[in-house]
Amino acid sequence: MALVQVNFISKMLSRTVTFNAIIPLDHISFGKEEVAQQKPLKTLYLLHGAFGNYTDYLSGTRIQRWAEEHNLAVIMPSGENQFYVDKPNRGENYGAYVVDELVEFTRNMFPLSHKKEDTFIAGLSMGGYGAMINGLKYHETFSHIGAFSPGLMIDQIIARSELLSVTGWSLDFYDNAFGGIDTIKDSDKDYYYLINQLIENKQDIPKIYLPIGTEDFLLESVRGFKSFADDKEIPLTYIEDEGGHEWDFWDKYVKNFLDWLPLDEKGNYLSSGNVAE
């Protein structure tokens, strides 16, 4: 399993950016099975939450181990507290960076599948919101969306709700992050609007996996999205489980999400610390 850190110049963000990639190309079997002939890798683009960066999942979860088991490539960029939205008038196109630029760059660099059915996007908290809106907006690229404790807070942001104080960010911060609070509704930053557009145009909606902790401060806003999804009969796997807005919960549900995805069967490969029986 190769762990790669890459720096390259992003045209969408007008600067050098960094991402981590897990690329399972160097399998060694236990001798009980032959390693299958290499084929283009199924790929997960995995978005971190607020205050984080491209290293978060490697330190907070066991994603490296699970990606190797499933023969899954994982690409982990940085979102810099900008909610993975596009603000073209400010030269900050985080959605286009992740989905247009990064997907193309990584497919050119690594042996990744170009098929929609092999390409997934997921994230936690702020990254869960980013995965949701970009997975819906770029539904021709992604077949499955994972949104772990997602920041589905646009109703609260638009209403300038007191719930926002829990995050410690001011209204000015949200206004800057979204390129204006009043620009959110009925835009590509609005997951309700994106779903309604897909339904209206009779286009397939990616399958969505959404776990949320029963002690999470986002629970009620996520339940609001669940009610909307039920009304629209969209393909949503929704789970409420004990836990808060924390890494123990996300570690558990990143693994469960990978088990839910249409991935390769787990291989019996040699890795650091593993010894054949």
Side-chain angles (χ1 to χ4, degrees):
M1 190 285 307
L3 177 62
V4 184
Q5 184 181 109
V6 179
N7 297 283
F8 77 101
I9 297 175
S10 165
K11 295 179 182 178
M12 295 297 175
L13 298 178
S14 301
R15 61 181 176 276
T16 299
V17 296
T18 305
F19 68 87
N20 274 332
I22 298 169
I23 309 295
L25 290 177
D26 52 350
H27 288 311
I28 301 173
S29 74
F30 282 131
K32 300 176 183 178
E33 58 186 29
E34 293 295 326
V35 177
Q37 184 177 2
Q38 183 63 50
K39 58 184 179 180
L41 294 165
K42 296 181 180 182
T43 311
L44 171 63
Y45 292 85
L46 191 56
L47 311 182
H48 67 77
F51 308 110
N53 67 11
Y54 61 94
T55 67
D56 276 20
Y57 286 97
L58 293 173
S59 58
T61 75
R62 290 165 284 176
I63 186 63
Q64 186 172 340
R65 168 185 168 186
W66 300 324
E68 183 174 24
E69 289 178 349
H70 286 287
N71 203 37
L72 175 71
V74 182
I75 310 298
M76 296 164 283
S78 284
E80 301 175 2
N81 288 350
Q82 296 301 305
F83 285 82
Y84 305 94
V85 301
D86 290 338
K87 295 175 284 183
N89 61 323
R90 303 184 186 185
E92 297 177 340
N93 297 304
Y94 284 89
Y97 158 60
V98 169
V99 182
D100 281 337
E101 190 171 31
L102 189 61
V103 169
E104 180 181 5
F105 185 89
T106 52
R107 284 177 173 177
N108 288 335
M109 188 172 193
F110 304 116
L112 308 182
S113 172
H114 291 210
K115 297 178 180 179
K116 171 181 175 176
E117 60 264 31
D118 293 341
T119 308
F120 323 112
I121 189 168
L124 63 85
S125 194
M126 179 189 78
Y129 165 83
M132 183 72 76
I133 61 165
N134 287 297
L136 294 169
K137 181 179 177 181
Y138 295 93
H139 58 94
E140 294 182 351
T141 298
F142 303 107
S143 60
H144 294 69
I145 297 169
F148 320 125
S149 315
L152 303 183
M153 301 168 62
I154 61 169
D155 289 338
Q156 290 75 22
I157 293 170
I158 292 170
R160 279 76 167 174
S161 167
E162 291 184 2
L163 174 68
L164 303 182
S165 64
V166 176
T167 67
W169 287 332
S170 67
L171 284 175
D172 286 341
F173 169 83
Y174 287 102
D175 199 58
N176 176 69
F178 286 91
I181 289 175
D182 294 330
T183 70
I184 297 173
K185 187 173 177 58
D186 295 333
S187 75
D188 60 3
K189 305 166 193 172
D190 180 347
Y191 33 85
Y192 300 125
Y193 172 78
L194 291 169
I195 289 172
N196 283 331
Q197 287 295 108
L198 290 174
I199 293 172
E200 182 178 332
N201 295 319
K202 298 181 180 180
Q203 294 175 310
D204 290 339
I205 298 175
K207 294 181 174 64
I208 301 170
Y209 183 89
L210 199 169
I212 182 74
T214 52
E215 287 77 51
D216 197 307
F217 75 98
L218 291 171
L219 178 60
E220 291 308 316
S221 60
V222 169
R223 282 175 172 170
F225 177 81
K226 166 68 162 55
S227 178
F228 169 83
D230 287 346
D231 288 343
K232 299 294 182 178
E233 297 182 342
I234 69 171
L236 174 66
T237 298
Y238 179 81
I239 301 165
E240 289 187 15
D241 192 9
E242 182 179 357
H245 208 72
E246 59 195 9
W247 279 107
D248 285 346
F249 185 86
W250 299 324
D251 183 57
K252 175 180 179 179
Y253 278 99
V254 168
K255 179 183 185 300
N256 290 353
F257 172 65
L258 297 190
D259 290 339
W260 175 80
L261 287 175
L263 300 179
D264 297 342
E265 292 185 8
K266 292 183 180 180
N268 190 29
Y269 303 125
L270 182 66
S271 61
S272 176
N274 256 338
V275 179
E277 295 180 357

Short mmCIF file of all heavy atoms in Angstrom, two decimals, residues 12 49 70 76 108 121-122 131 153 165 167 169 201 203 214 216 218 220 246 251 254 271:
data_model
loop_
_atom_site.label_atom_id
_atom_site.label_comp_id
_atom_site.label_asym_id
_atom_site.label_seq_id
_atom_site.Cartn_x
_atom_site.Cartn_y
_atom_site.Cartn_z
N MET A 12 -7.62 26.31 -10.03
CA MET A 12 -8.88 26.71 -9.43
C MET A 12 -8.70 27.55 -8.17
O MET A 12 -9.55 28.37 -7.82
CB MET A 12 -9.74 25.49 -9.11
CG MET A 12 -10.18 24.71 -10.33
SD MET A 12 -11.25 25.70 -11.39
CE MET A 12 -11.46 24.59 -12.78
N GLY A 49 -13.26 17.80 7.91
CA GLY A 49 -14.17 18.75 8.51
C GLY A 49 -13.49 20.06 8.88
O GLY A 49 -12.32 20.30 8.53
N HIS A 70 -9.75 -3.28 0.98
CA HIS A 70 -10.76 -3.21 -0.08
C HIS A 70 -10.19 -2.88 -1.46
O HIS A 70 -10.95 -2.74 -2.41
CB HIS A 70 -11.82 -2.16 0.29
CG HIS A 70 -12.76 -2.59 1.37
ND1 HIS A 70 -13.76 -3.52 1.16
CD2 HIS A 70 -12.86 -2.21 2.67
CE1 HIS A 70 -14.45 -3.68 2.28
NE2 HIS A 70 -13.93 -2.90 3.22
N MET A 76 -7.31 12.56 -0.38
CA MET A 76 -7.69 13.42 0.74
C MET A 76 -7.10 14.81 0.57
O MET A 76 -5.94 15.04 0.87
CB MET A 76 -7.20 12.78 2.05
CG MET A 76 -7.87 11.44 2.35
SD MET A 76 -7.02 10.45 3.63
CE MET A 76 -5.63 9.81 2.66
N ASN A 108 -4.93 11.15 -13.96
CA ASN A 108 -3.74 11.18 -14.82
C ASN A 108 -2.50 10.65 -14.10
O ASN A 108 -1.60 10.10 -14.74
CB ASN A 108 -3.48 12.61 -15.31
CG ASN A 108 -4.49 13.07 -16.34
OD1 ASN A 108 -5.09 12.26 -17.03
ND2 ASN A 108 -4.68 14.38 -16.44
N ILE A 121 -17.59 9.96 -3.28
CA ILE A 121 -17.17 11.15 -2.51
C ILE A 121 -17.80 11.08 -1.13
O ILE A 121 -18.95 10.65 -0.99
CB ILE A 121 -17.54 12.45 -3.25
CG1 ILE A 121 -16.91 13.66 -2.55
CG2 ILE A 121 -19.05 12.60 -3.38
CD1 ILE A 121 -16.98 14.94 -3.36
N ALA A 122 -17.03 11.46 -0.12
CA ALA A 122 -17.54 11.42 1.26
C ALA A 122 -16.80 12.46 2.09
O ALA A 122 -15.75 12.99 1.70
CB ALA A 122 -17.35 10.03 1.87
N ALA A 131 -19.29 17.04 0.54
CA ALA A 131 -19.53 15.82 -0.23
C ALA A 131 -20.96 15.79 -0.76
O ALA A 131 -21.20 15.36 -1.89
CB ALA A 131 -19.26 14.59 0.64
N MET A 153 -26.54 22.72 7.45
CA MET A 153 -26.98 23.82 8.30
C MET A 153 -27.45 25.03 7.50
O MET A 153 -27.54 26.13 8.05
CB MET A 153 -25.82 24.25 9.21
CG MET A 153 -25.27 23.16 10.11
SD MET A 153 -23.71 23.65 10.88
CE MET A 153 -24.22 25.08 11.83
N SER A 165 -23.74 29.56 16.93
CA SER A 165 -22.80 29.93 17.98
C SER A 165 -22.04 28.73 18.52
O SER A 165 -20.95 28.87 19.08
CB SER A 165 -23.53 30.64 19.12
OG SER A 165 -24.46 29.76 19.74
N THR A 167 -20.53 26.53 16.86
CA THR A 167 -19.31 26.34 16.09
C THR A 167 -18.22 27.32 16.47
O THR A 167 -17.05 27.12 16.13
CB THR A 167 -19.59 26.48 14.59
OG1 THR A 167 -19.95 27.83 14.30
CG2 THR A 167 -20.71 25.55 14.16
N TRP A 169 -18.03 30.27 15.23
CA TRP A 169 -17.82 31.16 14.09
C TRP A 169 -18.89 32.24 14.05
O TRP A 169 -20.06 31.98 14.34
CB TRP A 169 -17.82 30.38 12.79
CG TRP A 169 -16.60 29.56 12.56
CD1 TRP A 169 -15.35 29.80 13.03
CD2 TRP A 169 -16.51 28.35 11.79
NE1 TRP A 169 -14.47 28.82 12.61
CE2 TRP A 169 -15.16 27.93 11.84
CE3 TRP A 169 -17.43 27.61 11.06
CZ2 TRP A 169 -14.72 26.79 11.19
CZ3 TRP A 169 -16.98 26.46 10.41
CH2 TRP A 169 -15.64 26.06 10.48
N ASN A 201 -35.36 17.19 -13.60
CA ASN A 201 -34.75 16.82 -14.88
C ASN A 201 -34.67 15.31 -15.09
O ASN A 201 -34.06 14.85 -16.06
CB ASN A 201 -33.35 17.44 -14.98
CG ASN A 201 -33.39 18.94 -15.04
OD1 ASN A 201 -34.25 19.53 -15.70
ND2 ASN A 201 -32.47 19.59 -14.33
N GLN A 203 -33.03 12.95 -13.55
CA GLN A 203 -31.67 12.44 -13.54
C GLN A 203 -31.44 11.62 -12.28
O GLN A 203 -32.07 11.85 -11.23
CB GLN A 203 -30.67 13.59 -13.62
CG GLN A 203 -30.74 14.34 -14.94
CD GLN A 203 -29.83 15.55 -14.98
OE1 GLN A 203 -29.85 16.38 -14.07
NE2 GLN A 203 -29.03 15.65 -16.02
N THR A 214 -26.53 10.51 18.14
CA THR A 214 -27.70 10.99 18.89
C THR A 214 -27.33 12.10 19.88
O THR A 214 -28.21 12.77 20.40
CB THR A 214 -28.37 9.83 19.65
OG1 THR A 214 -27.38 9.14 20.44
CG2 THR A 214 -29.01 8.85 18.67
N ASP A 216 -25.12 14.47 18.87
CA ASP A 216 -24.49 15.46 17.98
C ASP A 216 -25.34 16.73 17.93
O ASP A 216 -26.57 16.66 17.82
CB ASP A 216 -24.37 14.87 16.57
CG ASP A 216 -23.39 15.63 15.70
OD1 ASP A 216 -23.53 16.86 15.58
OD2 ASP A 216 -22.49 14.99 15.12
N LEU A 218 -25.73 18.64 15.60
CA LEU A 218 -26.34 18.77 14.28
C LEU A 218 -27.53 17.84 14.07
O LEU A 218 -28.11 17.83 12.98
CB LEU A 218 -25.29 18.49 13.20
CG LEU A 218 -24.17 19.53 13.05
CD1 LEU A 218 -23.10 19.00 12.10
CD2 LEU A 218 -24.73 20.85 12.55
N GLU A 220 -30.73 17.63 14.89
CA GLU A 220 -32.04 18.12 14.46
C GLU A 220 -31.99 18.65 13.02
O GLU A 220 -32.94 18.44 12.25
CB GLU A 220 -32.56 19.19 15.41
CG GLU A 220 -32.94 18.64 16.79
CD GLU A 220 -33.90 17.46 16.71
OE1 GLU A 220 -34.87 17.53 15.91
OE2 GLU A 220 -33.69 16.48 17.45
N GLU A 246 -17.52 13.55 16.91
CA GLU A 246 -16.21 13.14 17.42
C GLU A 246 -15.62 12.02 16.58
O GLU A 246 -16.33 11.32 15.84
CB GLU A 246 -16.37 12.67 18.87
CG GLU A 246 -17.34 11.49 18.99
CD GLU A 246 -17.80 11.21 20.40
OE1 GLU A 246 -17.49 12.04 21.28
OE2 GLU A 246 -18.44 10.19 20.62
N ASP A 251 -14.66 7.24 12.99
CA ASP A 251 -13.84 6.05 12.73
C ASP A 251 -14.73 4.84 12.47
O ASP A 251 -14.51 4.07 11.53
CB ASP A 251 -12.93 5.80 13.93
CG ASP A 251 -11.97 4.64 13.72
OD1 ASP A 251 -11.20 4.65 12.74
OD2 ASP A 251 -12.01 3.70 14.54
N VAL A 254 -16.79 5.55 9.01
CA VAL A 254 -15.99 5.47 7.78
C VAL A 254 -15.85 4.00 7.39
O VAL A 254 -16.00 3.64 6.21
CB VAL A 254 -14.62 6.13 7.96
CG1 VAL A 254 -13.70 5.78 6.80
CG2 VAL A 254 -14.77 7.65 8.05
N SER A 271 0.80 -6.81 5.27
CA SER A 271 1.07 -5.40 5.51
C SER A 271 1.88 -5.27 6.78
O SER A 271 2.14 -6.25 7.47
CB SER A 271 -0.25 -4.62 5.63
OG SER A 271 -1.01 -5.12 6.72
#
